[in-house]
Amino acid sequence: MPSYVVAGASRGLGLEFVKQLLAKGNLVLALARNPDKSTGLQELKGEKNLHILKADITKPDELRAAVAETGKITGGSLDVLINNAAYMTFENTFNAIDEYESDAALAKSFNDHWDTNVLGVVYTTNAFIPLLAKGQLKKVLNLSTGLADPAANLDLEFDQNVAYSVSKCALEMVNVKYAAKYRKEGWTFLAISPGVVNTAEEARTSSPLPQPDRTTVSHTSTAPDWAIPGLQAMAAKFQKYAPTWTGPITATESVGKMLSVFDKAGPELSGKFVSHHGNREWL
C-alpha cells in the first residue's frame, strides 16, 4: 500500500487528509506538534494503518526523529509527503504593509510566518527526501493559498494578510526549486490552494461568511468571529472578484478535490501552483 506522511495533521485540512487517505487503504503517518492534544487524531488512534508521530516542523531535531521512526514503520521508504502545517494569526491580519504599529511588530509577524510557512516546509521536505528517494511515487504536495498569487492580490485590491501572503508566495518558489532539481528524476512537487475552506474547530456553520483559505494553523487555535468589519470586508472582496462564488466549502470537499488533482499529477506538472480545481481559479 502507498505510504503517506501528513505534516500538520492535528485538525482542519490536515486531519481530513488523514481520514480520506486512511479510507482509501493507505498507510498514513500523521505528524503533529502536540498529538496528545488533538481530539481528532486520538479518535482515530485505533486505525490499523495510522501511525501518529510528534514533530514540530520548525525543529529539525524532532523531524529527524520522526523520519527515523517513519523508516522503521515503512521499511525505509516513503511514497508521498503532504506539507500541510502552516502559521496564520489574526493579529495584524487587517493591517496593510505600512500600517504595522511598530517595526518590531512587523518583523515579528514576518519572521513568525516565515519560520513555519517557508523554513518549516524546507526542513520537513529535506528531512524526508532520503525516504522519498526510495519510494515508488516520489510525490510532495505543498499546501498554499490563492492569496499567494500576485495577480489575484492586484485584482482583489487585497492589501491585507501581508506576512501570510508573502510567506506563501515564497513557498511557491520553494516548490519550484525542488522541482527544478528532482523533476528529471521522476519526482512531482505540486503546490495546491485548498480554496476558501471552513476549517475552524469552533466555526459558526450558519454564517454566510467564509474563513480565509488556510492550512492547519499550527500556533493559533481561536476561531475567527466573522461579525468583525475586517472579515466582512474580506468576504466582500472575494464576492466582487468572483461573482459566482457562493461561499466556503467544507474541509471534506476541499481535500477530496485536492487529492483528485494531486493523484493525477505527474512529473510534467512538477513545480506548478494550482487551485483545488486544478487550474488558477482560486475560489
Side-chain angles (χ1 to χ4, degrees):
M1 68 184 76
S3 55
Y4 289 73
V5 162
V6 179
S10 63
R11 61 187 175 191
L13 293 174
L15 182 62
E16 186 60 31
F17 272 115
V18 171
K19 291 178 179 178
Q20 293 196 25
L21 291 170
L22 285 172
K24 295 179 180 180
N26 299 292
L27 175 65
V28 181
L29 299 102
L31 269 61
R33 196 163 53 104
N34 294 303
D36 292 341
K37 295 182 179 180
S38 169
T39 302
L41 284 179
Q42 294 307 311
E43 290 176 350
L44 294 174
K45 212 167 184 178
E47 294 284 343
K48 65 177 182 179
N49 290 336
L50 174 65
H51 298 267
I52 301 172
L53 305 177
K54 176 177 170 43
D56 184 327
I57 69 166
T58 66
K59 298 179 178 179
D61 288 347
E62 291 189 12
L63 286 167
R64 282 191 285 270
V67 169
E69 187 63 24
T70 299
K72 293 176 184 177
I73 294 167
T74 63
S77 67
L78 178 66
D79 291 309
V80 179
L81 170 63
I82 296 177
N83 283 314
N84 171 75
Y87 178 88
M88 186 182 75
T89 176
F90 281 89
E91 184 178 1
N92 295 312
T93 290
F94 306 116
N95 294 342
I97 197 165
D98 58 350
E99 293 176 350
Y100 283 83
E101 62 187 33
S102 66
D103 292 338
L106 183 150
K108 183 179 188 307
S109 181
F110 270 70
N111 288 334
D112 287 347
H113 283 83
W114 185 270
D115 285 348
T116 299
N117 299 348
V118 183
L119 283 180
V121 173
V122 175
Y123 289 149
T124 305
T125 305
N126 286 353
F128 281 98
I129 275 178
L131 295 184
L132 287 162
K134 297 177 181 178
Q136 295 297 312
L137 299 179
K138 298 179 176 60
K139 299 182 76 169
V140 178
L141 190 165
N142 291 312
L143 265 287
S144 189
T145 168
L147 298 180
D149 178 14
N153 277 264
L154 283 173
D155 290 344
L156 277 163
E157 296 182 343
F158 193 77
D159 60 356
Q160 302 170 332
N161 270 50
V162 176
Y164 179 69
S165 297
V166 170
S167 67
K168 286 293 191 176
C169 189
L171 176 62
E172 181 177 6
M173 183 57 72
V174 167
N175 188 66
V176 167
K177 291 298 185 181
Y178 281 115
K181 178 175 181 180
Y182 288 103
R183 181 171 56 182
K184 61 183 178 293
E185 299 176 20
W187 295 51
T188 303
F189 288 85
L190 192 64
I192 303 182
S193 167
V196 180
V197 186
N198 190 344
T199 59
E201 291 178 305
E202 301 170 13
R204 295 167 175 79
T205 56
S206 61
S207 172
L209 296 174
Q211 179 168 337
D213 54 342
R214 64 177 189 171
T215 56
T216 299
V217 177
S218 59
H219 300 288
T220 305
S221 59
T222 304
D225 181 356
W226 282 103
I228 62 179
L231 289 176
Q232 294 276 349
M234 186 184 297
K237 287 186 176 183
F238 288 164
Q239 289 164 338
K240 182 179 180 180
Y241 175 73
T244 60
W245 177 66
T246 57
I249 58 177
T250 65
T252 301
E253 182 179 355
S254 174
V255 168
K257 288 179 177 293
M258 285 190 287
L259 285 176
S260 178
V261 172
F262 186 60
D263 289 346
K264 296 172 186 175
E268 73 283 354
L269 290 181
S270 195
K272 300 297 184 182
F273 172 30
V274 299
S275 72
H276 56 303
H277 301 300
N279 52 32
R280 303 281 288 190
E281 296 177 9
W282 308 118
L283 296 172

